[in-house]
Amino acid sequence: KVLAILENLHGGRHAMAAFALIGLARNFFLEGDIDRAKLYLSRAMELTRDMFDEADISYASNMLLAAELSFKLGQLEQAESLYLKGLPLLKKIVGPYHISYSGGATTLARVYAAHGKYEESLERYREVLELAHRQMRIIFDAASERERLGYLYFYSPHYYDLLSLTLKHPTQESRELSLMMILRGKAILEEASMATQRRALCSGDTSVEHMLDELVRLRGRTSNMVLSGHSNKDTLAFLYASLDSVETELSRRCSEFQDQLALEDFSLQDVARALPEGAVLIEFFTHFLYDIDSGTYLSNDDGNVDAHFLAFTLDRQGNTSVTDLGSASEILTLIKAAQGMIYDAQGMVYS
């Protein structure tokens, strides 16, 4: 109906028509009508190229929407081409830390993995993890634990597709990248729960208090722009520069703040060097199985996303390993049974 109205009013040449065509293509895909999905996707891309200049955010956004749908349709070469065209344009308009850019970069990493281009995929995941790390620092309000924990609830710092790639392509690079993602995720959670305490450590100096308030204001304004899809690159660049300036001055005035920034930027080598001689770090992680070939999550017999327990290791020399321990539900069932046996045995002893 929308397309028919636009056809009558504007001969079909209207910005909304391109969005409507992509939406219609997505609906046909969900209904299983692949031929019509491809037809309307083709029409949407043709209209986008005809109507929008490359400097227009609508051009880049439509490119990414079409790329995502191409990926779902199994058109990997077309999806890769569209992402490689649209992502640099979007980056020029909104900057590298915008959530829409990082989302597109993540899906491009999945496209590469599905195409068997594992090294290119890992390179993109490395970029995505660095962007996510920076975004967390921007979006996290230094005075609000509740907002930080709420953000982590909706925007997990973990990429299960990267873990699946690591299991299928277990190189030292892929294991290091996955383990670093897990360790940084734990650090982010700890940082979220320590916000109020950290502010208290830096209080007592009125000027420092004012700077902390300014940091909260800047982070709040920046996060609102980033999460709402704001496209004013100059304003975002000014806010990023202001954030860096305030953080630098706070680091100079408050040692606790400086220590925290240093902790946020730790490397895997830093973790390895901190291990005692002969010790090995073991990190257990719940992994929701993602099929990198089809780009979908795998379900168990109950229809829920299948989960496995993984175990990563790191020694003092920086060597890593990963082991798939098997079905999480089966392991948890065995643990529950063992706990029951222990409980029953304790009851027998006390009686």
Side-chain angles (χ1 to χ4, degrees), residues 338-351:
Q339 289 173 332
M341 293 172 66
I342 294 171
Y343 179 81
D344 291 341
Q346 288 176 334
M348 292 173 64
V349 170
Y350 292 134
S351 64

Side-chain angles (χ1 to χ4, degrees), residues 25 28-29 33-42 69 73:
F28 281 129
F29 166 75
D33 194 338
I34 305 302
D35 289 337
R36 283 211 283 183
K38 291 179 179 179
L39 172 64
Y40 282 100
L41 176 62
S42 177
L69 184 55
L73 289 168

Side-chain angles (χ1 to χ4, degrees), residues 184-236:
R184 274 192 172 168
K186 292 178 71 174
I188 288 169
L189 184 59
E190 182 180 350
E191 162 67 8
S193 62
M194 289 291 290
T196 301
Q197 294 92 321
R198 188 161 293 108
R199 183 183 177 96
L201 290 172
C202 286
S203 63
D205 184 326
T206 304
S207 61
V208 171
E209 281 285 330
H210 289 322
M211 293 180 69
L212 285 168
D213 290 337
E214 176 65 5
L215 183 66
V216 170
R217 187 188 70 80
L218 287 170
R219 282 182 169 173
R221 186 180 174 194
T222 307
S223 63
N224 286 338
M225 290 183 66
V226 168
L227 293 175
S228 65
H230 201 290
S231 60
N232 191 322
K233 183 183 178 183
D234 292 337
T235 302
L236 284 171

Side-chain angles (χ1 to χ4, degrees), residues 59 105 114 162 216 306:
Y59 184 93
L162 171 58
V216 170
D306 204 4

Side-chain angles (χ1 to χ4, degrees), residues 206-277:
T206 304
S207 61
V208 171
E209 281 285 330
H210 289 322
M211 293 180 69
L212 285 168
D213 290 337
E214 176 65 5
L215 183 66
V216 170
R217 187 188 70 80
L218 287 170
R219 282 182 169 173
R221 186 180 174 194
T222 307
S223 63
N224 286 338
M225 290 183 66
V226 168
L227 293 175
S228 65
H230 201 290
S231 60
N232 191 322
K233 183 183 178 183
D234 292 337
T235 302
L236 284 171
F238 171 77
L239 288 171
Y240 293 144
S242 300
L243 280 169
D244 289 339
S245 175
V246 173
E247 286 182 349
T248 299
E249 183 61 19
L250 273 172
S251 297
R252 190 181 69 82
R253 304 281 291 275
C254 178
S255 60
E256 286 81 5
F257 190 89
Q258 184 181 39
D259 292 343
Q260 177 54 33
L261 288 183
L263 284 174
E264 289 177 354
D265 293 326
F266 69 88
S267 67
L268 203 60
Q269 290 70 32
D270 294 329
V271 178
R273 283 193 294 268
L275 293 172
E277 190 66 40

